[in-house]
Amino acid sequence: MSLELTFNPDIQMTEMMRLRVQFLQQRGQKRQDGERLLKSNEHVYRLDFSEQDLHFTRWNIHMSAPGHLNIIATSQLWTPDLTHLMTRQLLEPTGLFWKSTDDDLIQCYEADAQEFGERIAELAKVRKVMYFLFAFEDGLSPENIDCSIEFQK
């Protein structure tokens, strides 16, 4: 039986992380050693797991405009309500998906996308929620994507 989970924008968390950047800039302070600040083209998304024992099947990415989408997962150690995001909490590989102006197909690095999906399924065994940074490039924006991931239960 398959289970499709949709990545949902976490607008409140994105805003909180943007305020952190703004706070540091206003005070002329630098980030903490190893802290990962949110870039202007990045947004926080979350994935809520209703099931824990999952096996990755495939990505469902739809883009209504050309551009690049880089999905960066955070590890189970990040508690965004309590701690700043640290670089060491970002997982490799990332999911890089793109669509060119002259092609309707979504492209990706298949081996990386496969490994990335499998790592998410592994973390789902110990997590009910995972957070992701979605980096939009080359004209792509949050309004242009629909993104989900499919698992076998």
Side-chain angles (χ1 to χ4, degrees):
M1 188 165 154
S2 74
L3 174 68
E4 184 176 3
L5 299 177
T6 301
F7 289 87
N8 296 304
D10 193 323
I11 296 165
Q12 185 177 10
M13 190 58 56
T14 300
E15 184 60 27
M16 189 172 84
M17 290 184 72
R18 291 202 195 295
L19 288 173
R20 170 75 179 152
V21 173
Q22 189 177 33
F23 173 82
L24 291 175
Q25 289 173 341
Q26 288 173 346
R27 297 229 173 7
Q29 296 176 345
K30 297 196 183 284
R31 63 181 174 80
Q32 293 179 17
D33 190 33
E35 182 179 5
R36 173 64 160 72
L37 298 176
L38 196 66
K39 297 174 185 167
S40 62
N41 67 325
E42 293 175 334
H43 297 262
V44 179
Y45 280 68
R46 65 183 279 159
L47 199 58
D48 295 289
F49 297 102
S50 55
E51 304 274 333
Q52 304 306 131
D53 190 23
L54 302 172
H55 301 282
F56 171 73
T57 306
R58 67 188 185 107
W59 291 92
N60 296 317
I61 310 278
H62 303 284
M63 296 180 186
S64 61
H68 285 79
L69 171 64
N70 193 8
I71 303 173
I72 306 161
T74 61
S75 72
Q76 70 269 26
L77 303 174
W78 186 43
T79 52
D81 53 336
L82 301 174
T83 62
H84 300 305
L85 178 61
M86 303 303 281
T87 304
R88 69 179 179 276
Q89 296 167 323
L90 300 177
L91 297 178
E92 293 286 334
T94 64
L96 181 60
F97 304 90
W98 67 93
K99 178 178 174 183
S100 59
T101 53
D102 55 347
D103 194 357
D104 281 342
L105 294 175
I106 306 295
Q107 304 291 319
C108 69
Y109 297 120
E110 289 185 31
D112 285 350
Q114 179 71 29
E115 182 181 343
F116 186 45
E118 289 169 1
R119 293 201 66 190
I120 292 170
E122 279 298 309
L123 287 171
K125 292 177 181 173
V126 295
R127 296 282 298 174
K128 292 222 178 250
V129 175
M130 263 186 85
Y131 290 90
F132 299 82
L133 299 181
F134 277 39
F136 298 92
E137 299 173 3
D138 302 326
L140 196 63
S141 67
E143 298 79 30
N144 302 122
I145 65 141
D146 183 26
C147 184
S148 65
I149 188 170
E150 202 170 300
F151 300 97
Q152 284 295 112
K153 295 196 276 184

